[in-house]
Coordinates of all heavy atoms in Angstrom, one line a residue:
H36 N -9.2 -80.6 55.2 CA -10.3 -80.9 54.3 C -11.3 -79.7 54.4 O -11.4 -79.0 55.5 CB -11.0 -82.1 54.8 CG -12.2 -82.5 53.9 ND1 -13.4 -82.0 54.0 CD2 -12.2 -83.5 52.9 CE1 -14.2 -82.6 53.1 NE2 -13.5 -83.4 52.4
P37 N -11.9 -79.3 53.4 CA -12.8 -78.1 53.4 C -13.9 -78.2 54.5 O -14.2 -77.1 55.1 CB -13.5 -78.1 52.0 CG -12.5 -78.8 51.1 CD -11.9 -79.8 52.0
M55 N -0.9 -73.7 65.5 CA -0.2 -73.6 64.2 C 1.1 -74.4 64.3 O 1.4 -75.1 63.3 CB 0.0 -72.1 63.9 CG -1.3 -71.4 63.5 SD -1.0 -69.7 62.9 CE -0.4 -68.9 64.3
R62 N 1.6 -82.8 61.1 CA 1.4 -83.1 59.6 C 2.7 -83.6 59.0 O 2.7 -84.4 58.0 CB 0.9 -81.9 58.9 CG -0.6 -81.7 59.2 CD -1.2 -80.8 58.1 NE -2.6 -80.6 58.2 CZ -3.5 -81.5 57.9 NH1 -3.1 -82.7 57.5 NH2 -4.8 -81.3 58.0
A71 N 2.0 -75.9 76.4 CA 1.5 -74.5 76.3 C 0.5 -74.3 77.5 O 0.1 -75.3 78.1 CB 0.8 -74.3 75.0
P72 N 0.2 -73.1 77.8 CA -0.7 -72.8 78.9 C -2.1 -73.4 78.7 O -2.5 -73.6 77.6 CB -0.7 -71.3 79.0 CG 0.4 -70.8 78.2 CD 0.7 -71.9 77.2
S75 N -4.9 -72.8 75.6 CA -4.1 -72.4 74.3 C -4.5 -73.3 73.2 O -3.9 -73.2 72.1 CB -2.6 -72.4 74.6 OG -2.2 -73.7 75.0
L79 N -7.2 -79.5 71.0 CA -7.8 -79.4 69.7 C -6.7 -79.4 68.6 O -6.9 -79.9 67.5 CB -8.6 -78.1 69.5 CG -9.3 -77.9 68.2 CD1 -10.3 -79.1 67.9 CD2 -10.1 -76.6 68.2
F82 N -6.3 -83.2 68.2 CA -7.5 -83.9 67.7 C -7.9 -83.4 66.3 O -8.4 -84.2 65.5 CB -8.6 -83.7 68.7 CG -8.5 -84.7 69.8 CD1 -8.6 -84.3 71.1 CD2 -8.5 -86.1 69.6 CE1 -8.5 -85.2 72.1 CE2 -8.4 -87.0 70.6 CZ -8.4 -86.6 71.9
S94 N -13.4 -89.2 52.7 CA -13.6 -88.5 51.4 C -13.0 -89.4 50.2 O -13.5 -89.4 49.1 CB -12.9 -87.1 51.4 OG -13.0 -86.5 50.2
N100 N -14.4 -99.2 59.3 CA -15.2 -99.2 60.6 C -14.3 -99.9 61.7 O -14.6 -101.0 62.0 CB -16.5 -99.9 60.3 CG -17.4 -99.8 61.5 OD1 -17.3 -98.9 62.3 ND2 -18.3 -100.7 61.6
P109 N -4.7 -90.0 81.5 CA -4.3 -90.5 82.8 C -5.5 -90.4 83.8 O -5.4 -90.9 84.9 CB -3.1 -89.6 83.2 CG -3.4 -88.4 82.4 CD -4.0 -88.8 81.1
L110 N -6.5 -89.6 83.4 CA -7.6 -89.4 84.3 C -8.9 -89.8 83.7 O -9.2 -89.3 82.6 CB -7.7 -87.9 84.7 CG -6.4 -87.3 85.4 CD1 -6.5 -85.8 85.5 CD2 -6.2 -87.9 86.7
I117 N -13.1 -85.1 77.3 CA -12.6 -85.1 75.9 C -13.7 -85.7 75.0 O -13.9 -85.1 73.9 CB -11.3 -85.8 75.8 CG1 -10.2 -84.9 76.5 CG2 -10.9 -86.1 74.4 CD1 -8.9 -85.5 76.6
D130 N -21.8 -82.5 59.3 CA -22.7 -81.7 58.5 C -22.0 -80.9 57.4 O -22.6 -80.8 56.3 CB -23.5 -80.8 59.5 CG -24.4 -81.5 60.4 OD1 -24.7 -82.7 60.2 OD2 -24.9 -80.9 61.4
P138 N -21.5 -87.6 51.9 CA -22.5 -88.2 52.8 C -22.0 -89.5 53.5 O -21.1 -90.2 52.9 CB -23.7 -88.5 51.9 CG -23.1 -88.7 50.6 CD -21.9 -87.9 50.5

Side-chain angles (χ1 to χ4, degrees):
H36 187 278
M55 289 188 293
R62 286 199 174 285
S75 61
L79 185 58
F82 279 125
S94 181
N100 187 21
L110 302 171
I117 287 174
D130 293 346

